[in-house]
Amino acid sequence: MRRLLTTLVILLVVIIAGMTSLVFLINPNDFRQYMVDRVEQKSGYQLAIRGDLRWHVWPQLSIIAGQTSLTAPGAQKPVVTAENMRLDVKLWPLLSHQLAVREVMLKNAVVRLTPDSEADVPDAPVAPTSTVQPPSELEAGWKFDIDKISIVDSLLIWQRGENDQINVRDINMQLDQNAHRQAHLELSSRINRNQRDLAFTLSADLDMQKYPQEFSANVNKFSYQLTGADIPAKGLQGAGSMQANYHRDTQRLELNQLALTANDNQLSGTAAATLTDTGDYQVNLDAAKLDLDALSGWQPKTPDQTSQAARTVTSAPVIARDVNDQPNNFSVLNSFNANVALNVADLTYRGLKVQDFKLLADNQQGKVNIQTLSGKMASGDFSLPAPWMSLASWRKSAFSPF
């Protein structure tokens, strides 16, 4: 028994010594150009790594890199920059010349989705998308695989218009992928804008087999909390799930099996959006309960508040104003098209209780047409258009906000 234990200990020492020697005999900087070429060959993006690559043995065999950036072809700024990058590699594949990366971790990264970080490739006759000739696995001598990507304490800058910028802060993300281009995503972050703070977490399964032409995501879990200006004191919080599909050719995003809660309210249905210059949106939602007063923080005035307001009201001088100079709150409707169908079993608005509320409306770049607006309230009901109104006369009541 003692000889067996001694043999096992000697064998273990030999294996550890051999693997340690293997690590020190392989220079991690030999991987630099290969990784740069591989990234450019696969995506056209330019990977830049500053400083030397070095091994980190404990507690995980890793390659440590300094400042790292990833730039789209012709872009003015990198789409991703990070203070440092860590590649956790598998030891055994090194024996067969495979750089198998268990996890890539970027810390304090900045992701830019802005006009100056987008690819800018001029129109030209058909030509190779990269100056790098694709080497075969034998010519390169190494095989490069990545199982997991982690982003820690990072920032996303998203800008669509000139003055429309959203900063998504404190991003913590883990993305596990397999050989079939399917992945599992865990994400948490927060958005602070206009004195409002939105914190959220998300868990989803991604199908990237046809990426970038299209991809789908099954959002298993989504939770959020919204606080700040013009939000009720207790804030808004809830959870949800959905099935999302995006088609690049048509720029269409589809949300199916949508289920969302907001405080004590529950919504379900479908939604779709065409993300062109003139957006096109379709929303179909059902709710057993929808309390708009609780969501907006509206509360009825007490008798004391009403009488005090009446005593403090003074007559203001009549001042002529140009109607055209007044702000038009409906002008936002000019920028998109939409179709909305909403069915609510129990609706609360400004203290009014409405049952069996139904709304069917559409907007065509500012021309709003309310096809159906009905419900039950108190001991009566209302319906627009009324049964005695013809559809043609009702459509004449459609309005346009100039």
Side-chain angles (χ1 to χ4, degrees), residues 236-378:
L236 299 178
Q237 58 184 350
S241 61
M242 70 187 75
Q243 176 71 41
N245 298 278
Y246 179 73
H247 303 270
R248 181 181 179 182
D249 293 340
T250 58
Q251 299 186 49
R252 183 174 177 82
L253 175 65
E254 299 175 349
L255 304 180
N256 299 311
Q257 302 178 21
L258 176 63
L260 182 67
T261 63
N263 292 354
D264 295 330
N265 303 278
Q266 296 182 354
L267 294 168
S268 62
T270 61
T274 303
L275 306 176
T276 55
D277 292 338
T278 302
D280 195 322
Y281 306 93
Q282 293 86 39
V283 180
N284 190 339
L285 296 176
D286 298 303
K289 175 186 176 183
L290 184 58
D291 189 345
L292 297 179
D293 293 348
L295 295 178
S296 63
W298 181 87
Q299 293 181 351
K301 292 183 179 180
T302 63
D304 293 340
Q305 291 174 329
T306 303
S307 60
Q308 182 179 1
R311 290 194 300 268
T312 57
V313 171
T314 58
S315 299
V318 177
I319 300 176
R321 296 180 180 178
D322 188 350
V323 176
N324 294 327
D325 292 338
Q326 302 303 310
N328 184 3
N329 295 328
F330 294 105
S331 60
V332 66
L333 298 175
N334 294 326
S335 61
F336 66 92
N337 301 324
N339 289 276
V340 178
L342 178 63
N343 299 298
V344 183
D346 187 1
L347 173 68
T348 302
Y349 177 70
R350 297 284 176 169
L352 300 176
K353 302 289 186 179
V354 183
Q355 289 76 40
D356 297 333
F357 177 82
K358 298 181 184 298
L359 171 65
L360 183 61
D362 66 84
N363 172 55
Q364 299 297 323
Q365 291 185 274
K367 186 176 181 180
V368 178
N369 181 21
I370 301 178
Q371 303 173 23
T372 301
L373 180 63
S374 63
K376 298 177 181 179
M377 187 170 57

